[in-house]
Amino acid sequence: MEQLGLAPAVGMSGACTVSGLFSHVGDPFLDDPLPREYVLYLRPTGPLAQKLSDFWQQSKQICGKNKAHNIFPHITLCQFFMCEDSKADALGEALQATVSRWRGKFSVPLPLELYTSSNFIGLFVEEASADVLKKFAADFAAEAASKTEVHVEPHKKQLHVTLAYHFQANHLPTLEKLAQSIDVKLGCDWLAAIFSRDIRFANHETLQVIYPYTPQNDDELELVPGDFIFMSPVEQASTSEGWVYGTSLTTGGSGLLPENYITKADECSTWVFHSSYSILNASSSNALPFGDGILDRRSYEDQGLGEMAPLTIVCPPSQPLRAGSQPGPQKRCLFVCRHGERMDVVFGKYWLSQCFDAKGRYVRTNLNMPQSLPQRSGGFRDYEKDAPITVFGCMQARLVGEALLESNTTIDHIYCSPSLRCVQTAHNILKGLQQENHLKIRVEPGLFEWTKWVAGNTLPAWIPPSELAAANLSVDTTYRPHLGAGAESISSLRELGPEEQGRKDIYNRNNILIVAHASSLEACTCQLQGLSPQNSKDFVQMVRKIPYLGFCSCEELGETGIWQLRDPPILPLTHGPTGGFNWRETLLQD
């Protein structure tokens, strides 16, 4: 296991599983005895730890992720230092001996003081107590040098718990208010804990796989959900758009992978926990609090989850929240969904020539094409800029509606872009919800996508609501739109048109579902959360990652007027595109 560049946690089995070894068959670092980097942190437990965890979650949901979220709440007692894996046990013994000498010499509770600046918020340890902690860290450094011959550099700067840094300037008042609600005098124990990380990936971005991927070419990397990927910024310059180059934590293999199959993870997600000892409570050792993705072996096995793998940090999976099924007052939620699979994307921009004869009559030429299409007063050529969805697109939408129904999610009103693909998607979601005869779709021209993305920068000739209703689509023909169409910039797109009162009328209702375009998931929630607009490049890159039926959920915190993104009440929907199948070309032999 030392040859893998990975360290066993103290108190855990040192044997590597057979499947773990086989997964590293192609690992180029298999025989490279690279040492790991170790660090000593002081971690809170008890009521204060819960308050810090609440701050972590609330600040992330309201203001988005900042640099502090990469690592759990802690006080740094020493810098990262190198140590051979064979000496990991000795490090734990050094920590245990040091804690035994110093236990009872620390202030209870540890005095902390809130400090804020324009780009940093933290809880600083009062100077006299900080001096005691620094002497403790220096004693550990001496003990570690005696037992392992490693050099440990104690932290010389002011000791503190970082709450937030590298955040947007307009988020400072909100973060300050959240930080001020933390009662630093709450009961708390502190654990001196040793962690380690793989030195090869110290400066890499940590990503987590969310969808499986089977390589199509030799230079691509297989993806398994739950695995972590390390991505070096230096290696991204030569990659194609939509692809990144990364290295798998599980196998050690490297290669190209699709960017929309992974998501950002916390830096500490792949760290190994070795040992911890309470500096205040003599009965507490080798235990870490739940809720931050790290579990000690005893707690893991006591829950009946089996034997904990010696090489793995265990991250409990997040469960989808059930909107409308939780006790307490009803919360206002905004759901935003992208439309289903488009005909012109699946069958190409010349699909009209396949599907309409010389007299303009629709002819179905593929099972994934709808059996019929609505008549258009301007003729079938209007479909060039306003394409319908495929049969699969209808099925996708039905699945989303059925999932919403199963999760007991209540939809009070549904608003929709005037694009036919969005109206058809909304209609099929209502069918899945079994609400097509009760809820009617309110068509809002202001929900149409950025017109810079439309050929000729001109608006399509949309089918009027009366004609959509005549085509058996669940459209409200009495509804009068609030929002004007024709957003010519990203900022105006994000504002959903100039009518401020129109936005308020929409958002001031209970649970709202908006069915529109990929850009709508950000455009309809960014301003609601009080976030600053992204630049056009980042905005476009974000939009490209949103799949058909991409779904997000934004929830108001009580009656505060503050909104936050949260886990949707339904699971994500993934499907793979397939090419057309011609049996003659494939099976017919000459």
Side-chain angles (χ1 to χ4, degrees), residues 313-332:
I313 299 281
V314 177
C315 300
S318 60
Q319 296 296 324
L321 301 178
R322 302 298 189 183
S325 62
Q326 301 296 331
Q330 177 68 38
K331 298 178 180 179
R332 288 198 298 168

Side-chain angles (χ1 to χ4, degrees), residues 341 345-348 354 365-369 392 576-586:
E341 182 181 80
V345 172
V346 174
F347 297 105
Q354 302 176 39
T365 61
N366 189 283
L367 286 177
N368 197 23
M369 292 179 176
F392 279 178
T578 59
F581 174 65
N582 188 316
W583 67 271
R584 291 180 180 275
E585 294 179 0
T586 306

Side-chain angles (χ1 to χ4, degrees), residues 57 60-62 210 263-264 316-326 331-336 404 407 409 511 521 525 529 550-557 563-572:
Q57 296 303 317
K60 186 185 295 185
Q61 291 170 341
I62 297 173
I210 52 178
T263 187
K264 289 185 178 180
S318 60
Q319 296 296 324
L321 301 178
R322 302 298 189 183
S325 62
Q326 301 296 331
K331 298 178 180 179
R332 288 198 298 168
C333 296
L334 172 69
F335 306 110
V336 188
L404 289 170
S407 67
T409 301
N511 283 358
L521 274 72
T525 60
Q529 298 174 83
F551 193 100
C552 73
S553 176
C554 200
E555 179 183 283
E556 185 183 24
L557 298 178
W563 291 73
Q564 65 182 24
L565 286 173
R566 64 163 176 81
D567 287 332
I570 62 174
L571 296 172

Side-chain angles (χ1 to χ4, degrees), residues 433-485:
L433 269 168
Q434 299 178 13
Q435 292 291 315
E436 70 271 24
N437 296 322
H438 305 285
L439 270 179
K440 296 295 183 181
I441 302 164
R442 297 175 172 181
V443 177
E444 277 289 351
L447 292 173
F448 184 59
E449 65 185 346
W450 194 20
T451 54
K452 293 293 184 183
W453 292 339
V454 179
N457 294 342
T458 57
L459 295 174
W462 295 311
I463 302 177
S466 58
E467 295 181 18
L468 291 170
N472 296 319
L473 294 168
S474 304
V475 172
D476 186 348
T477 58
T478 65
Y479 178 72
R480 295 296 173 261
H482 287 288
L483 310 176

